[in-house]
Amino acid sequence: MALTDAKLRAIKPQMADFKLADGEGLHLLIKNTGGKLWRLSYRFNGKQKTLALGMYPAVSLLSARRARDLAKHQLAKGLDPSEEKKAKKQERSISAANTFEVVANEWFDLKEAGWASSYSSRLRSRLDGDLIAPFGDRPIRDIQPLEVLNALRAIEKRGAIEMAKRIKQMASAIFCYAVATGRCTSDPTASLKGVLRPPNPPKHRAALSATELPEFMRALERYDGDEITKLALKLVIYTLVRTAEIRFGQWKEFENLEGQEPLWRIPKERMKMRRAHIVPLSPQAVEVLLELRKLTGDGQYIAAAPTKTGVISENTMLYAIYRMGYHSRATAHGFRTTASTVLNEQQFNRDWIEMQLAHFDGSVRGIYNAAEWLPGRRDMMRWWGNFVDGTLAKQEKQAA
């Protein structure tokens, strides 16, 4: 007789285990300890076998019957229900070990060695917030293009149009890594070409023109704020390095400051693209460094400050520019743009300019010429130093 829920609820354990049949091999095994276990008896290839279907009442009578019917269907197709169950369990185990988060973290750890720490930190934040948050616990091979698109649309809704493009690129790199390592069969972002919103018109960092530079330098000379900040800003202008490279610059990186060919060797660990950078120093830059050495020369950093990082904060130089009255008119990074414009107009070798801005391509040719171009870059930076501080204008006036 078929079982009913009322009968199942009323069953009590006995001294020995016993079974109650429901039909077609399905039965409930009642343990003397009180457990009620669903079992299915069947034959496969002439052998008697038993399939465990779970415990009552966690697995209801209806669910147990559905599991029996599925097993019967598998048997009709020549499949062993027990082996199919093992395969499914193994598949779930593999999927759990190959979630998007697992693969993404593996990819990130592999790539991180080639990135500057500041760049790595930004990418880690994007990865956690925009990809692992929606997909972290999903098996990576199950993620579909539409799901990725929905995650990218959420980024676009924040107004971060360019960021959505970058996140798509990161997601593609992770999926391609998963394909290469056998965790999925395709990159779902490959079918998302042309579906993202076009980027907004680029917002260029405010930069002064060449004619505005002399007045800025006079204003900077009059600046009555922190002296280290003032000198750090001058050094940005005279060397054209990025503000982070100034902030974390260390005294041990400078060579021959009081000699004929002073240099600043910035190690690759501190550069944005993880390539060591050589900076020839003009007399003006050396003068600034010698002033800084009086203030911070006893320590590690040239722009030392009593902050958590031990150096002036990220926006210190920008706020100094604001205090000077140049809000929305100039930024520290903008001086790189100004210099590039001026030096190109003066027809200095374009490769020298790009090398000074640390924009070289990293090819064998670029690496080789890093040393070959040094004399020319040194002359160029002397010219730039004279241009910035007005010495060049005075020389031209005297010559006239």
Side-chain angles (χ1 to χ4, degrees):
M1 181 181 291
L3 299 174
T4 65
D5 279 313
K7 186 173 182 179
L8 292 175
R9 288 194 296 269
I11 294 173
K12 302 297 181 184
Q14 298 179 10
M15 291 293 292
D17 298 350
F18 66 99
K19 300 177 184 178
L20 291 177
D22 184 62
E24 299 183 74
L26 178 64
H27 61 271
L28 190 68
L29 173 63
I30 297 88
K31 305 287 290 183
N32 60 4
T33 55
K36 300 174 183 179
L37 310 176
W38 289 113
R39 296 289 186 263
L40 177 67
S41 297
Y42 67 98
R43 296 185 68 82
F44 185 79
N45 288 340
K47 294 183 179 180
Q48 184 66 33
K49 305 189 76 172
T50 301
L51 177 65
L53 301 178
M55 180 179 289
Y56 180 85
V59 176
S60 68
L61 175 59
L62 179 59
S63 296
R65 286 171 175 170
R66 286 174 176 169
R68 175 197 61 197
D69 294 343
L70 174 61
K72 294 292 185 182
H73 179 69
Q74 291 170 335
L75 286 166
K77 294 170 64 177
L79 302 174
D80 183 348
S82 292
E83 293 303 317
E84 292 298 302
K85 181 179 179 181
K86 289 178 184 178
K88 291 260 187 201
K89 184 177 180 180
Q90 184 178 20
E91 184 178 338
R92 287 194 298 271
S93 177
I94 293 172
S95 294
N98 292 309
T99 62
F100 183 88
E101 183 172 10
V102 168
V103 178
N105 285 335
E106 190 177 312
W107 169 84
F108 187 88
D109 291 342
L110 180 69
K111 298 294 184 180
E112 187 178 20
W115 297 330
S117 58
S118 57
Y119 182 68
S120 173
S121 178
R122 290 198 300 274
L123 257 63
R124 182 74 249 185
S125 178
R126 295 172 191 169
L127 177 60
D128 289 341
D130 292 317
L131 289 175
I132 288 181
F135 302 128
D137 60 354
R138 292 283 309 286
I140 194 165
R141 67 182 182 182
D142 292 346
I143 299 172
Q144 300 299 310
L146 183 58
E147 296 177 86
V148 180
L149 178 59
N150 289 337
L152 297 175
R153 289 281 189 246
I155 299 170
E156 288 181 333
K157 287 180 181 178
R158 305 196 311 249
I161 307 304
E162 182 61 30
M163 184 59 66
K165 178 182 175 183
R166 293 178 185 176
I167 295 299
K168 177 177 175 288
Q169 291 170 343
M170 184 191 297
S172 178
I174 294 169
F175 284 114
C176 287
Y177 175 77
V179 171
T181 55
R183 265 75 74 83
C184 68
T185 58
S186 64
D187 171 13
T189 70
S191 60
L192 300 182
K193 293 179 180 178
V195 300
L196 295 182
R197 289 173 55 186
N200 296 322
K203 294 182 179 180
H204 299 289
R205 289 176 172 136
L208 298 177
S209 66
T211 57
E212 294 174 305
L213 195 53
E215 178 54 38
F216 178 88
M217 295 305 294
R218 287 192 289 271
L220 181 56
E221 203 60 49
R222 297 191 300 268
Y223 179 68
D224 60 358
D226 178 67
E227 187 68 13
I228 293 176
T229 301
K230 174 180 176 178
L231 293 171
L233 190 49
K234 282 187 176 183
L235 201 57
V236 167
I237 298 169
Y238 285 128
T239 63
L240 308 183
V241 303
R242 298 178 179 88
T243 55
E245 290 144 20
I246 295 286
R247 293 171 55 230
F248 292 98
Q250 300 182 29
W251 285 112
K252 67 180 181 181
E253 298 168 356
F254 295 90
E255 300 177 5
N256 207 24
L257 283 183
E258 296 173 338
Q260 293 299 311
E261 296 184 341
L263 282 178
W264 183 6
R265 295 183 184 272
I266 308 177
K268 64 180 181 179
E269 292 79 13
R270 293 207 307 103
M271 293 299 297
K272 181 178 180 180
M273 300 308 295
R274 288 277 180 157
R275 302 183 186 118
H277 187 40
I278 302 174
V279 183
L281 300 169
S282 67
Q284 291 84 355
V286 170
E287 183 180 348
V288 171
L289 284 163
L290 293 178
E291 287 298 314
L292 269 173
R293 193 162 67 179
K294 296 175 184 177
L295 300 173
T296 65
D298 292 337
Q300 177 182 5
Y301 297 110
I302 64 174
T307 64
K308 184 178 180 180
T309 57
V311 299
I312 59 176
S313 65
E314 185 176 1
N315 291 316
T316 296
M317 285 183 267
L318 181 61
Y319 292 154
I321 292 172
Y322 290 172
R323 286 188 58 192
M324 290 163 56
Y326 283 84
H327 197 294
S328 301
R329 296 172 56 197
T331 62
H333 189 90
F335 291 107
R336 290 164 55 87
T337 302
T338 302
S340 178
T341 300
V342 172
L343 295 173
N344 275 292
E345 287 176 350
Q346 293 297 315
Q347 298 185 3
F348 280 99
N349 185 310
R350 186 174 182 275
D351 288 329
W352 300 353
I353 299 169
E354 293 302 295
M355 182 67 74
Q356 189 65 30
L357 296 171
H359 287 166
F360 76 111
D361 59 14
S363 64
V364 173
R365 172 179 175 271
I367 295 169
Y368 175 78
N369 285 328
E372 289 294 299
W373 291 332
L374 195 55
R377 289 171 58 212
R378 188 178 296 282
D379 290 340
M380 180 181 72
M381 294 311 293
R382 285 197 191 102
W383 185 95
W384 171 248
N386 291 338
F387 177 84
V388 169
D389 71 3
T391 303
L392 185 67
K394 292 177 184 176
Q395 291 173 349
E396 292 174 345
K397 187 175 182 180
Q398 289 172 356

